Amino acid sequence: MVYIANVYLEEKKFVYKALQDIRGIGERKGREICARCGLGLDVKVGSLTYKETSLLAKEVDKIDKIETKLTRKVQEDIKRLVRIKAYRGRRHTQNLPCRGQRTHRNGQTRKKFDWRNMG
């Protein structure tokens, strides 16, 4: 199993698809990373050599915000909104939807599930 950026990549997946399991990397970035490493889109994670794996890990490390850094950034942004007493910050603290959704009928999932204790 390949371990990159604190995430195990599944051996049966294509490399560009497996890279999407890393938070902060989408399909486009996954394809770009594969292109920079010289890997085709039909290469699976299980068939990678050690050299290709280390090259892939170096390319992923060049990206600024992935996994823990990205999570920390999002949490800091929410804390900033709460600190400046913005409307969205209040919605976060009250555990209600903050992107304009209705709450009369919808938003029940957000109300019932405690999102603050995740991560």
Side-chain angles (χ1 to χ4, degrees):
M1 222 175 214
V2 178
Y3 187 70
I4 296 175
N6 301 331
V7 175
Y8 286 105
L9 303 181
E10 293 182 37
E11 305 236 344
K12 295 179 182 178
K13 283 187 175 181
F14 292 115
V15 176
Y16 80 97
K17 286 281 188 185
L19 286 173
Q20 293 176 37
D21 292 342
I22 300 171
R23 187 169 183 200
I25 296 180
E27 185 173 356
R28 183 174 172 195
K29 278 188 185 176
R31 287 175 185 255
E32 287 174 3
I33 291 169
C34 287
R36 278 189 250 138
C37 293
L39 300 172
L41 298 179
D42 58 343
V43 178
K44 296 207 175 190
V45 175
S47 65
L48 290 176
T49 63
Y50 177 76
K51 190 175 183 178
E52 291 171 334
T53 305
S54 61
L55 184 63
L56 203 61
K58 286 179 185 175
E59 286 295 326
V60 169
D61 285 340
K62 289 180 184 178
I63 299 173
D64 285 352
K65 296 175 188 155
I66 55 169
E67 279 301 311
T68 54
K69 291 178 186 176
L70 181 62
T71 306
R72 193 174 302 124
K73 173 84 168 93
V74 170
Q75 289 173 349
E76 287 173 1
D77 290 344
I78 291 172
K79 285 179 185 176
R80 179 183 53 82
L81 289 170
V82 171
R83 190 177 63 244
I84 65 173
K85 298 179 182 170
Y87 176 78
R88 281 179 47 209
R90 278 200 321 263
R91 299 297 280 185
H92 276 289
T93 57
Q94 293 169 351
N95 212 18
L96 293 168
C98 58
R99 292 189 177 182
Q101 296 93 334
R102 288 177 52 89
T103 56
H104 183 66
R105 291 181 204 91
N106 301 334
Q108 299 302 316
T109 305
R110 176 73 194 235
K111 286 181 181 180
K112 290 176 188 172
F113 191 76
D114 192 6
W115 293 92
R116 291 172 286 194
N117 293 332
M118 297 219 19

